[in-house]
Amino acid sequence: MQQALSNLLSRLPRKRTHREDIPILPGELPVVGHTPYLLGDVLGYFRNAAAKTGPLFWMKSIGDKYQLVCMGEPGFELLKNRVTSSEYIRESAADFIGDALLSRDGQPHRNLRSAMAGPFTPRGLTASGAAALSAEVVEDYVSRLPERPFSLLAQTQGLALDIIFRVMGIDRAELEAWNKNYREFILAAIPIQVDLPFSPLRRARAGRRWLDTRFAQLISAARGKPDMQGTLKALLAEKDEEGKALGDDDLVQNLRLLALAGHETSASVMAWLGIELARRPDLWEKLKEEAVAAPGLPRSPEELKRHPFAEALFRETVRRYPPVAYTAREATADLELHGKRVPKGTMVTIPIGTYGYDDTVYPEPERFDPTRWLGRRSPPTAMETAQFGGGPHFCLGYHLAWVEIVQFATAFAREVARRGMRPRLAAGTEPKLRHVPFGQPPKGTLLEFVKD
């Protein structure tokens, strides 16, 4: 009997273990493949997978589609887009991203990037008044934080979105309507979309139409305001490599993208930073000492230098709690990764969030230690800022995120210290990093202020 069963099993088709001589990650589920595993501790999942199969492996998406995951430096090299492209995003995320900076490559991308980059440099943020506007919004929000237990993420989401909209020149009185329609628009991020009345996709498209109409009106109004401050006015004055100004359609597409990319990510980092301060009285004391000694919030590159510990908190929070776990590129030619041939057309996932856990670069990577970043004479390397991407698509808003999060840390410490209090995690809330889709703490993670 046992021999007969063994013979029967031997005749059944065996599940494939390799594809293109590259291992397929075990554990796939019917229909959905490995997709559910990406909704939890995705960084731990990638790292454990690499420990079992090596730094190059296939995962199965919903249906019968495969994506190749490439860990380590070879994956980071793909971000330079020498043999890969990001243009697939234009079709795969048409409602969400569209024809914007993120979905262009080559000369079209260089033209657009060159016309947009200036206002987002440290000098550009100061010259346009964007850094000052950000400081104004931060101080206002932090001054109104409640003392009773509250969701810090809910607060930082509102703060980060208001910063983005204010530096674009949107009047404070209109923020509620902008926030409402933006929340509708981001429903387009839901993976499964069906266009039915009241469905997420239908609501997302309505939100996008509202935003695009108002962005167009905002651009038209900004052209007639020579003394207007903020990033939008600065963008109107910029030219690309061919000497051309940005057209209205490019501005609308990319202003919408900037609101998306610069909002949820910054909100996540601010929330985790506050949580670590609540967990660690030693970090709180160091930040409070630095913040109280400063004359105010930094509004220029020179003033940022007065806040080394706040900057170290920003960098360590991004390393330990990266808001984006992975990105992807499409191979435009046959290439070799980790000694294996990868055919043209392959979709390669690069887990950028895992680079901050490399124990050859960061001893005890699970430990939250801002002192890693103190006392350095050189700026962070490309690999040390991998959480913001790399190559031509390195995050345009990197410096704005740096400024606003240092401002937030400083304002938070100054305000809570002014009240004679300190932050503490409310009982029963101990968050874990999950990416759904951004690496944010659960909204149920509550902070409270107690007497210092």
Side-chain angles (χ1 to χ4, degrees):
M1 180 69 178
Q2 187 175 2
Q3 183 63 43
L5 180 60
S6 178
N7 292 337
L8 177 62
L9 291 175
S10 69
R11 295 192 188 100
L12 293 175
R14 294 185 178 182
K15 186 176 290 187
R16 294 175 65 188
T17 60
H18 285 71
R19 190 170 186 263
E20 303 285 347
D21 197 32
I22 298 169
I24 298 173
L25 198 62
E28 69 181 73
L29 302 172
V31 182
V32 295
H34 297 93
T35 302
Y37 303 118
L38 303 183
L39 301 178
D41 178 14
V42 61
L43 302 184
Y45 182 69
F46 280 142
R47 292 159 63 204
N48 289 335
K52 293 176 182 177
T53 66
L56 195 66
F57 53 88
W58 293 101
M59 294 181 63
K60 202 171 187 181
S61 304
I62 294 175
D64 199 34
K65 294 182 179 179
Y66 281 92
Q67 55 185 336
L68 185 65
V69 179
C70 184
M71 305 284 285
E73 193 165 347
F76 187 76
E77 286 295 309
L78 295 180
L79 298 178
K80 296 178 180 178
N81 275 17
R82 291 170 179 157
V83 288
T84 59
S85 172
S86 306
E87 292 188 340
Y88 72 93
I89 297 173
R90 192 176 305 129
E91 293 184 7
S92 64
D95 287 300
F96 202 40
I97 304 298
D99 184 18
L101 195 64
L102 195 61
S103 58
R104 292 189 187 182
D105 279 319
Q107 193 60 48
H109 175 267
R110 287 191 291 273
N111 281 343
L112 189 54
R113 180 92 182 195
S114 63
M116 296 184 66
F120 290 94
T121 64
R123 296 289 177 190
L125 292 169
T126 303
S128 70
L133 286 169
S134 173
E136 179 185 317
V137 177
V138 168
E139 285 186 315
D140 177 59
Y141 254 81
V142 169
S143 70
R144 294 185 281 112
L145 288 176
E147 293 181 6
R148 65 183 185 279
F150 64 94
S151 168
L152 184 57
L153 177 63
Q155 294 287 336
T156 59
Q157 283 178 324
L159 168 58
L161 193 56
D162 281 7
I163 289 173
I164 292 290
F165 285 154
R166 285 294 304 283
V167 302
M168 289 179 183
I170 295 168
D171 188 86
R172 182 178 290 176
E174 299 179 316
L175 288 177
E176 185 176 348
W178 280 87
N179 283 335
K180 175 181 178 294
N181 283 278
Y182 178 80
R183 289 292 169 197
E184 292 289 289
F185 161 64
I186 61 174
L187 292 173
I190 296 174
I192 301 174
Q193 295 283 349
V194 180
D195 188 11
L196 295 172
F198 308 108
S199 67
L201 180 59
R202 189 73 62 88
R203 291 166 59 189
R205 286 173 173 171
R208 173 173 166 164
R209 285 194 298 272
W210 189 95
L211 291 170
D212 288 0
T213 299
R214 293 294 288 118
F215 273 132
Q217 293 170 352
L218 194 67
I219 292 164
S220 178
R223 295 190 190 279
K225 295 180 180 178
D227 298 327
M228 179 179 173
Q229 281 192 317
T231 301
L232 174 56
K233 187 64 179 180
L235 286 170
L236 292 175
E238 294 293 316
K239 301 285 192 298
D240 66 17
E241 290 182 346
E242 298 175 354
K244 298 177 183 178
L246 288 166
D248 284 11
D249 186 57
D250 277 340
L251 281 165
V252 168
Q253 295 265 5
N254 287 283
L255 289 174
R256 185 181 353 100
L257 175 62
L258 287 168
L260 170 67
H263 157 236
E264 297 287 359
T265 52
S266 292
S268 173
V269 175
M270 290 183 204
W272 280 115
L273 190 153
I275 287 168
E276 284 295 343
L277 291 174
R279 283 170 166 164
R280 296 275 301 277
D282 58 323
L283 303 182
W284 167 251
E285 290 298 328
K286 288 180 181 178
L287 177 64
K288 183 176 72 170
E289 180 181 356
E290 177 182 273
V292 171
L297 305 193
R299 291 168 166 80
S300 69
E302 290 73 22
E303 292 177 4
L304 276 171
K305 294 175 183 177
R306 301 173 186 160
H307 302 266
F309 192 70
E311 180 184 339
L313 280 169
F314 156 65
R315 298 200 180 281
E316 183 68 353
T317 304
V318 172
R319 181 200 70 80
R320 180 64 179 79
Y321 303 104
V324 178
Y326 55 88
T327 186
R329 295 290 187 271
E330 184 177 13
T332 55
D334 290 352
L335 51 97
E336 185 176 296
L337 296 173
H338 292 291
K340 301 290 186 179
R341 176 189 170 276
V342 175
K344 177 182 177 180
T346 300
M347 193 64 66
V348 186
T349 294
I350 302 107
I352 56 176
T354 63
Y355 294 129
Y357 287 78
D358 184 345
D359 58 12
T360 65
V361 180
Y362 307 100
E364 298 180 72
E366 300 287 349
R367 180 167 54 91
F368 188 86
D369 181 12
T371 63
R372 301 177 198 273
W373 305 96
L374 296 175
R376 296 172 48 137
R377 295 186 178 181
S378 57
T381 65
M383 286 291 284
E384 288 174 326
T385 58
Q387 298 82 7
F388 292 90
H393 287 282
F394 182 78
C395 178
L396 187 69
Y398 166 70
H399 290 106
L400 177 58
W402 175 1
V403 169
E404 67 180 305
I405 293 168
V406 169
Q407 288 176 340
F408 168 76
T410 304
F412 184 81
R414 287 168 66 89
E415 173 60 24
V416 179
R418 184 193 66 77
R419 300 181 192 182
M421 309 186 90
R422 60 180 174 82
R424 183 177 70 183
L425 275 179
T429 57
E430 188 58 37
K432 294 182 179 180
L433 179 61
R434 296 288 185 269
H435 286 84
V436 192
F438 298 104
Q440 298 169 335
K443 278 194 176 180
T445 304
L446 303 181
L447 250 66
E448 60 186 352
F449 300 142
V450 295
K451 290 295 181 183
D452 200 356

